[in-house]
Amino acid sequence: MIIVFIIYLIFLIWLFEFIDIYGNHSLDRNLNQNITVIIDQINNLNDLFLTMDSIKLQNYNLNNVNLIILDTSTEDVQSLINNYKHIFFGIHTTKVSDINRMDVLHRIESLCSNYILLIESGVSIPKSFISTITKYLDESSLSTIFLPLFYRYKDQYHIFYQLYHCFIESIRCSLINKNFSVSNKNVALKKEAFLDFINGKHENLGSQYLVTPDLCLYKNRDSHLDINSKINIIHIIYSVINFLFIFALLQFLALPNKYFLFIIIIKILPELCFIYTFYNRLQIKFPKFDYAIFSMIGPFYSIIELIYNQILVKNNQS
């Protein structure tokens, strides 16, 4: 069993890849670049309005902001967003489903500006977000920038969900920066890269995942993390590791010895580096005491969460 955890440790050390292309350099804001914001996954109108309100509050010339809403809801979104039409340069709404999604994305490409922001409904963004992202795209050689997502929970009890998500998000960050294709949402890109991106030709993109406060997306949650039906390899591997960790932890509690203590340490320390770095890059206070508890019960937490979400998926499909 120790071989598995040594391989896990080596893998995380190799994987660790957080990038800041500008370091401490202060970017001058450009408020005159045209940008198209595509809001996807409209399942809840309150979430949609939350996202649109955060865009409305940007320190940016909103006459240069064009909105495209990919409506997956059963509501008449077009009539409900009339109050926003005078705020932005334009708002286009189109119904989309799993069947016609690719056709819709190809069709709206002609409506897009030189810079495109593709985000999920329900996220909120900092006031300087658009001015910062346009500047990054304008001055860097990158055609695609993946954006960090940070979950905020109303109940302090759900801090464990937040820690778990930050670990998964930091793994996603490192995989993208190692040129693995693992994401198709929450991204800013140049128009020239849009078709390659939606067609899954990520190898043609100059892309990075940047963890910085000005580019962070925030999402308010009340309870569980979202693990959808298309569960990816990250969650599967992490669940196997957690099963083995739980066994080692129980063995150590029953009969303490250096062998199982070593396994516990090489599991916890690299994960701490990933999670702490993610918090630190976003300039969010790291919850030390909560992490100390999470490091022990987090594996139970993540496995229960995984099973719970898969039961929900199967119930929804039946």
Side-chain angles (χ1 to χ4, degrees), residues 111-314:
L111 301 174
C112 294
S113 309
N114 289 332
Y115 296 143
I116 301 168
L117 174 63
L118 176 59
I119 56 176
E120 294 178 293
S121 173
V123 302
S124 56
I125 57 180
K127 288 186 176 181
S128 61
F129 181 94
I130 292 180
S131 58
T132 302
I133 196 64
T134 54
K135 198 64 176 178
Y136 270 110
L137 289 170
D138 192 40
E139 294 194 352
S140 75
S141 60
L142 298 175
S143 61
T144 309
I145 297 176
F146 291 93
L147 306 166
L149 177 63
F150 188 82
Y151 280 74
R152 296 185 294 201
Y153 289 89
K154 297 178 182 178
D155 192 334
Q156 184 62 23
Y157 166 76
H158 292 129
I159 186 68
F160 296 143
Y161 288 113
Q162 185 184 93
L163 286 164
Y164 173 68
H165 178 270
C166 285
F167 177 65
I168 296 299
E169 194 71 11
S170 64
I171 292 293
R172 174 174 166 261
C173 163
S174 295
L175 285 170
I176 290 172
N177 288 336
K178 289 287 187 181
N179 296 318
F180 290 93
S181 173
V182 294
S183 182
N184 58 1
K185 61 182 181 180
N186 296 332
V187 59
L189 62 164
K190 295 176 181 176
K191 186 175 182 178
E192 64 205 43
F194 184 66
L195 289 180
D196 281 338
F197 177 78
I198 62 177
N199 289 325
K201 298 178 181 178
H202 294 184
E203 67 276 4
N204 298 331
L205 305 177
S207 60
Q208 287 182 349
Y209 182 118
L210 301 180
V211 185
T212 177
D214 286 340
L215 299 183
C216 186
L217 307 175
Y218 297 92
K219 196 165 190 176
N220 296 325
R221 298 293 296 171
D222 294 323
S223 55
H224 299 282
L225 283 172
D226 294 323
I227 303 176
N228 60 33
S229 57
K230 298 178 181 177
I231 182 170
N232 58 51
I233 193 65
I234 297 175
H235 294 101
I236 295 173
I237 294 175
Y238 192 51
S239 295
V240 172
I241 295 293
N242 280 331
F243 271 118
L244 295 175
F245 177 80
I246 289 171
F247 175 79
L249 180 62
L250 294 176
Q251 288 291 324
F252 178 77
L253 294 176
L255 186 63
N257 61 67
K258 293 181 180 179
Y259 175 80
F260 290 112
L261 177 61
F262 181 68
I263 289 177
I264 292 170
I265 291 173
I266 63 175
K267 163 73 163 56
I268 291 175
L269 285 183
E271 292 183 1
L272 171 61
C273 290
F274 273 82
I275 298 174
Y276 177 80
T277 302
F278 194 77
Y279 272 88
N280 187 52
R281 286 296 186 95
L282 294 180
Q283 298 178 14
I284 297 173
K285 184 179 179 181
F286 180 69
K288 301 183 184 69
F289 177 75
D290 293 303
Y291 179 78
I293 300 173
F294 171 79
S295 63
M296 293 293 114
I297 70 171
F300 296 91
Y301 219 60
S302 63
I303 290 171
I304 292 171
E305 193 64 22
L306 185 66
I307 295 171
Y308 174 82
N309 276 275
Q310 291 309 296
I311 291 174
L312 285 182
V313 168
K314 289 182 179 179

Side-chain angles (χ1 to χ4, degrees), residues 41-54:
Q41 302 296 330
I42 315 297
N43 298 317
N44 182 298
L45 289 179
N46 288 332
D47 286 346
L48 173 61
F49 296 145
L50 174 69
T51 299
M52 294 180 71
D53 285 339
S54 71

